[in-house]
Amino acid sequence: MSISRPFVGLVTFALVALAACGSPAVPSSSPASPASPSASTPPVGIVGPTWVVATVGGSDTVAGSRPTMTFGADGQVQGTGGCNSYGGPYKLDGAAIDVGDLASTMMLCADQSIGAQETAFFAALGGAQTWQVDETGNLVLAGGSQIVAKTAAAEPSGGAGTGLVGAWNLTEMGPTADFAHLQPTIEFTADGLVSGFAGCNTFSGSYTTDGSTLSWGPLATTKMACQRPGSAVESDYLAALSGVNTWAVESDGRLLLDGAVPLRYTAR
């Protein structure tokens, strides 16, 4: 399995960092034969939840930058390696899994430990031959370096704030509500992912909350050439997001992301 990188180049901007299916575990003794193109509909268990990787090859992953995996019923797996986003095909045949070539974004991971983790994770995921959900509800992928993952809902820390989850339109950035007829946005999902439109480019990545505290994981933005006023709005918005450290839903229903430059949003 190789990691191809056909995506449009991405640039990094530095930002400080459903429940498990109740299907029975598939016995680990099942043969690890490669999946065939005619594999049947994926069994419930691995498909659907977002899995947060706890260990790769027996080594703990980096808190706040743990890789994730979401296996869709459409035969596509996607997530983050801790720095870059990735996606690609997979097939299941009973307890056997075959992950095809994965494409990932091309961000340079600022933290070498996260970059090394990501390399090991991509290799382990591409080399996986069997899967099982064990008696503790953990997903175990074996064949290359073993991957052990928990559902996002089972992660003991960094859960998403329920009032935060949803899609939001920016209405105020510090003292201004004038975005040159552009509409910057942000969207938080319950599994710890964030994305949005910055004024010209889109961004995506991960986040965690602890009460009212909000922390960003590695975030990336597409690299389209932007003309003014989009470039100016985008620069100000991304800079403001990088300083966010708390969140709250105010009495009027608006979302406040507070930091050096307060950001206020209305629900979409």
Side-chain angles (χ1 to χ4, degrees), residues 86-155:
Y86 71 90
Y90 77 97
K91 294 176 183 176
L92 299 179
D93 187 1
I97 185 169
D98 178 23
V99 178
D101 289 347
L102 301 176
S104 82
T105 55
M106 297 174 63
M107 286 168 35
L108 178 64
C109 306
D111 188 321
Q112 291 186 348
S113 65
I114 296 175
Q117 166 188 279
E118 183 167 273
T119 298
F121 167 66
F122 284 151
L125 180 58
Q129 296 178 349
T130 63
W131 73 275
Q132 65 164 324
V133 178
D134 66 18
E135 64 277 3
T136 67
N138 292 340
L139 172 64
V140 180
L141 300 180
S145 294
Q146 187 180 79
I147 294 174
V148 178
K150 305 175 183 293
T151 62
E155 277 288 275

Side-chain angles (χ1 to χ4, degrees), residues 15-17 159-161 164 186 188 194 206-217 241-248 255-258 265:
L15 301 181
V16 183
L164 184 65
I186 197 164
F188 297 90
V194 62
S206 60
Y207 76 98
T208 57
T209 59
D210 184 2
S212 63
T213 300
L214 175 62
S215 301
W216 306 111
L241 278 174
S242 70
V244 167
N245 48 43
T246 63
W247 71 277
L255 171 66
L256 169 65
L257 300 185
D258 206 3
Y265 302 80

Side-chain angles (χ1 to χ4, degrees), residues 66-89:
R66 302 190 196 281
T68 64
M69 305 175 291
T70 302
F71 295 88
D74 58 356
Q76 295 290 312
V77 59
Q78 60 184 348
T80 173
C83 177
N84 286 281
S85 300
Y86 71 90

Side-chain angles (χ1 to χ4, degrees), residues 21-37:
C21 295
S23 87
V26 177
S28 58
S29 58
S30 300
S33 57
S36 66

